[in-house]
Amino acid sequence: MSRTTAEHDPPAEPSAEPPPGDDRAFLGQPRGLLTLSGLEVWERFSFLGMQAILVLYFADSVAHDGMGMDPATAASVSAAYGTLVYLVSVAGGWLADRILGSYRAVLWGGVLIACGHYAMAVPAAGMTWAGLGLISAGTGLLKPNVASMVGKLYRTEDERRDAGFALYYMAINVGAFTGPLITGWLGDHRGWHWGFSAAAVGMTLGLVQYVLGRRHLAGREASAEYALEPAAMRRAVLLIVAGLVVAAALAGLLAATGWLTMDRFVDLLTLISVIAPVVYFAVMFRSPRVTAEERRRLRPYVVLFLASVVFNFILFQAYSTMMLLASENARTEILGYHFPASWYASALGAFEVALAPVVAAVWARMGTRQPHASNKIAFGVVLGGLSFLLMVLPTTGHGGDSYEMAAWWIVGSYLLLGLGDVLLETSGMSATTKLAPKAFAGQTMALWFLSLALANGIQAQVVKVYGEVSHPAYFGVNGGVAVVAGVAVIALAPWLRRTMHPVH
């Protein structure tokens, strides 16, 4: 083909078929994995980089360009933001399947995220709230669909699939490690909005490499895979747009009259996060498309769903109450070097990057002797609880809140939490895909995101007592509940092994 012809050709649409098995351009994996992993590095860089400083920005004084919230309110609003992100993610999967297609959903999601971070870079309260709304909508479109695009890079029988997802998971944690380092340093030395600007630039870089590498994203259609009929699609789009306009107008009216306060908005999100999974499970249990065998497998999944909620309730506080504790009561100096308190969040990503291959190697070496999936999840929950119980030791025996603990206490807590996350997340997602009824197979990600939304919704209420009760009581009670929940799942292991077939 001549250069002139090539220049006038429209961009080639990637094939709907997975790439050939000899596509091993990226560490023995398809080239598309590099594109998607690169996108996730920058998306997690921006999302977790921003989240590491968000609660500190909320709690900082207005004189220092913060929002002037008390610590408990700051943690509650931060958790409510997480609730909204994961609730929107449920809708994001449906929009990709029925209207946008995975590629466009991820692209427009990334654009909204970048716009949201740029909005937060502007030092004005209104731009902060607008930015968080855009990031919530964008993450809801992007997050549930990138993982499905990774799966479509491989044929069903391709033995590289598990290794590919391991590389993808590591990319996520590379972003989780580097994001807080950059945004935290800028937030501490130049101002919070400089940190938000770094998150914006990171997401922009992710989008650029995603678009440039789109020709390698075989395994997805340009349009929706299960697209609605044209008339139904027009009707759905009109209903969505009308619903958003009405919701925005109603929220504005209620806010103007003084009824819709921040506290009530947080409470509303928590209520939705509780109702949504209850309705979802009720629909699945009662659906005529679900067989009796599938309905029996749903019962153990409810237990695992609740275990995920308990663990993630602890995990998400790594970016809220633990950040507040680190900024107020932990030394931010190691070997004479001073660092921002938000850098503690990077420890979590670093531990997960380091521990994931170790855990995978241990399971591979144990072979058929490795623990059942339900026990792996239970161990993760117990470790999450222990990470909070550990914080009881350095926070006990002080007359007030002016003490300082050694940095290694928080680092040790994040080590336990990171190991628990590695154990639970991989086993939990695998169990979700295997236990979900076939009629709902395409919505397994929605189920998982609902557990994350509920964890954040509960956190938004519980953190309100942070600072009202003593630190040992707060971390001791929450950690103790998590440990008890994990032990309860272990006690149910015989029943779970019997009813979770074919999960091993």
Side-chain angles (χ1 to χ4, degrees):
M1 182 180 293
S2 70
R3 181 180 179 84
T4 303
T5 305
E7 288 175 349
H8 290 84
D9 278 348
E13 291 293 348
S15 167
E17 292 298 317
D22 59 359
D23 180 2
R24 299 175 180 270
F26 174 54
L27 301 177
Q29 302 290 329
R31 283 173 290 185
L33 184 63
L34 176 61
T35 299
L36 295 175
S37 296
L39 176 67
E40 269 292 14
V41 166
W42 289 112
E43 190 275 331
R44 289 292 92 181
F45 173 96
S46 64
F47 183 83
L48 294 177
M50 183 272 286
Q51 198 159 16
I53 63 174
L54 183 63
V55 71
L56 302 178
Y57 164 65
F58 283 158
D60 203 0
S61 66
V62 175
H64 289 92
D65 288 331
M67 296 291 281
M69 299 181 186
D70 67 81
T73 301
S76 181
V77 174
S78 180
Y81 159 69
T83 307
L84 183 60
V85 165
Y86 290 111
L87 286 174
V88 174
S89 296
V90 176
W94 183 87
L95 285 171
D97 283 346
R98 299 295 187 177
I99 297 177
L100 293 173
S102 295
Y103 175 78
R104 289 194 181 105
V106 170
L107 176 62
W108 287 111
V111 170
L112 289 174
I113 292 170
C115 290
H117 286 302
Y118 283 117
M120 293 188 70
V122 178
M127 295 300 285
T128 294
W129 301 123
L132 288 175
L134 288 170
I135 295 168
S136 298
T139 306
L141 278 174
L142 183 146
K143 194 62 182 170
N145 295 305
V146 179
S148 66
M149 291 180 71
V150 173
K152 293 170 187 175
L153 290 172
Y154 303 91
R155 299 183 185 278
T156 304
E157 68 278 4
D158 196 328
E159 294 181 354
R160 299 175 298 164
R161 178 185 292 266
D162 287 350
F165 269 98
L167 282 172
Y168 172 73
Y169 183 73
M170 187 170 292
I172 291 175
N173 288 313
V174 167
F177 168 67
T178 56
L181 292 179
I182 304 300
T183 61
W185 189 91
L186 287 170
D188 192 60
H189 289 77
R190 301 298 301 273
W192 301 118
H193 299 284
W194 281 89
F196 299 142
S197 297
V201 172
M203 192 65 243
T204 303
L205 291 174
L207 279 173
V208 169
Q209 68 89 41
Y210 177 67
V211 173
L212 292 177
R214 67 189 183 278
R215 65 185 181 278
H216 302 309
L217 299 180
R220 54 95 178 154
E221 294 278 6
S223 58
E225 285 189 73
Y226 307 103
L228 298 171
E229 294 296 325
M233 185 176 294
R234 284 193 296 271
R235 187 165 58 251
V237 171
L238 286 173
L239 286 173
I240 291 170
V241 172
L244 291 173
V245 170
V246 169
L250 182 61
L253 178 62
L254 293 174
T257 60
W259 187 90
L260 187 60
T261 62
M262 181 58 69
D263 283 342
R264 281 180 175 158
F265 183 66
V266 170
D267 293 343
L268 178 62
L269 286 176
T270 295
L271 181 63
I272 295 172
S273 73
V274 172
I275 293 173
V278 171
V279 171
Y280 215 100
F281 276 113
V283 168
M284 286 195 294
F285 272 110
R286 295 182 179 182
S287 174
R289 296 182 296 163
V290 176
T291 67
E293 178 62 28
E294 289 175 330
R295 199 169 284 113
R296 280 193 293 272
R297 287 204 299 268
L298 271 178
R299 295 189 185 100
Y301 181 71
V302 171
V303 175
L304 303 186
F305 179 92
L306 294 175
S308 170
V309 171
V310 173
F311 175 80
N312 284 293
F313 165 75
I314 300 290
L315 176 67
F316 291 139
Q317 291 192 65
Y319 299 95
S320 60
T321 55
M322 289 291 287
M323 281 293 97
L324 292 170
L325 183 70
S327 67
E328 296 166 355
N329 300 110
R331 297 189 189 119
T332 53
E333 184 178 300
I334 292 181
L335 301 177
Y337 178 76
H338 174 79
F339 60 91
S342 54
W343 277 19
Y344 279 113
S346 287
L348 186 60
F351 285 134
E352 292 185 1
V353 169
L355 292 171
V358 175
V359 171
V362 169
W363 296 152
R365 186 173 183 84
M366 292 182 70
T368 57
R369 295 180 291 110
Q370 64 183 279
H372 188 263
S374 63
N375 278 341
K376 294 177 185 177
I377 292 170
F379 296 155
V381 177
V382 170
L383 286 168
L386 290 176
S387 75
F388 259 34
L389 288 178
L390 179 65
M391 300 314 300
V392 173
L393 299 177
T395 58
T396 298
H398 303 287
D401 293 332
S402 59
Y403 62 90
E404 278 193 346
M405 69 181 80
W408 305 113
W409 286 108
I410 292 183
V411 172
S413 176
Y414 280 0
L415 172 61
L416 293 172
L417 194 57
L419 179 57
D421 195 28
V422 170
L423 292 176
L424 184 138
E425 297 298 336
T426 51
S427 299
M429 267 308 304
S430 176
T432 298
T433 57
K434 292 176 181 177
L435 294 175
K438 287 184 179 179
F440 293 85
Q443 300 172 54
T444 52
M445 286 301 291
L447 267 176
W448 191 250
F449 283 125
L450 283 177
S451 76
L452 305 184
L454 180 54
N456 266 309
I458 295 171
Q459 182 202 167
Q461 301 303 317
V462 174
V463 295
K464 290 179 181 180
V465 303
Y466 181 80
E468 300 296 322
V469 300
S470 68
H471 288 159
Y474 182 85
F475 290 105
V477 171
N478 286 312
V481 169
V483 169
V484 169
V487 171
V489 176
I490 294 173
L492 289 171
W495 175 74
L496 290 169
R497 278 195 296 269
R498 189 170 64 252
T499 55
M500 282 179 63
H501 181 79
V503 178
H504 302 296

